[in-house]
Amino acid sequence: KLWFLRWVREAVVSTQSTGGATRKARIMDGVYNASNNELVRTKTLVKNCIIQIDATPFRQWYEAHYGVTAGRKKRNEEKTEEEVKKSNHVQRKVDGRKAESKIGQLLDDQFNTGRLYACVASRPGQSGRCDGYILEGRELEFYLKKIRMKKSK
């Protein structure tokens, strides 16, 4: 069973609810579990536990889909990178998406650190895979407050 839990931690398919993108991402750490703190200490994956995943696949998707950099520091924008030539049709699609490309400040801060908080939606011990979704908005605020309270104890 321990081997199985290590195997599941290798990859998770997470969805970003605002954009509807599904990507495989590496699970970095188990952070919070409402039912039992022992599950966090032993890094056991169960349904509805909060985990940290690698932000790179979602940053790449966000930059390709909206044409806007996510989580980059402001001083990096000064450097002008050579952009890939896009067709007129693709450029119009990207320009149309830029209006709806706003992400929350908390999510942007997570892109800066390179790790995103996600919630496990499947039952990894039963199905053999770990599916989940990225925390955003009020749900992200709630769990960040819980994690801070737990660390301060």
Side-chain angles (χ1 to χ4, degrees), residues 78-137:
E78 295 173 1
K79 300 176 184 175
T80 55
E81 298 178 11
E82 296 180 17
E83 294 187 17
V84 177
K85 183 75 173 157
K86 296 178 183 173
S87 68
N88 190 23
H89 177 73
V90 171
Q91 189 61 41
R92 282 184 289 153
K93 277 175 45 176
V94 169
D95 290 341
R97 291 178 189 148
K98 280 186 182 180
E100 58 194 42
S101 68
K102 301 291 183 206
I103 58 174
Q105 182 61 38
L106 293 173
L107 195 60
D108 196 39
D109 292 340
Q110 289 184 11
F111 274 119
N112 274 338
T113 62
R115 292 182 171 204
L116 297 174
Y117 286 115
C119 182
V120 176
S122 66
R123 296 172 63 194
Q126 303 293 320
S127 63
R129 52 183 287 165
C130 186
D131 298 334
Y133 58 93
I134 293 176
L135 297 177
E136 300 179 71

Side-chain angles (χ1 to χ4, degrees), residues 33 38 43 49 59 77 100 120 125:
N33 193 323
E38 180 75 11
K43 308 216 182 292
C49 71
R59 179 184 293 129
E77 292 179 5
E100 58 194 42
V120 176

Side-chain angles (χ1 to χ4, degrees), residues 27-79:
I27 298 175
M28 301 293 196
D29 196 11
V31 180
Y32 179 77
N33 193 323
S35 63
N36 192 350
N37 218 10
E38 180 75 11
L39 298 175
V40 176
R41 190 180 64 76
T42 59
K43 308 216 182 292
T44 305
L45 295 176
V46 294
K47 186 174 181 176
N48 288 331
C49 71
I50 306 302
I51 57 175
Q52 278 188 333
I53 60 172
D54 184 25
T56 306
F58 293 99
R59 179 184 293 129
Q60 290 170 347
W61 172 83
Y62 191 82
E63 290 172 359
H65 190 73
Y66 292 113
V68 179
T69 57
R72 302 292 169 121
K73 304 222 184 218
K74 300 299 180 196
R75 51 195 163 136
N76 288 348
E77 292 179 5
E78 295 173 1
K79 300 176 184 175

Side-chain angles (χ1 to χ4, degrees), residues 2 6-8 30 34 48 58 64 75 105 130 135 140 145 151:
L2 291 176
R6 265 188 254 123
W7 175 76
V8 170
N48 288 331
F58 293 99
R75 51 195 163 136
Q105 182 61 38
C130 186
L135 297 177
L140 178 60
K145 186 170 35 170
K151 285 185 179 179

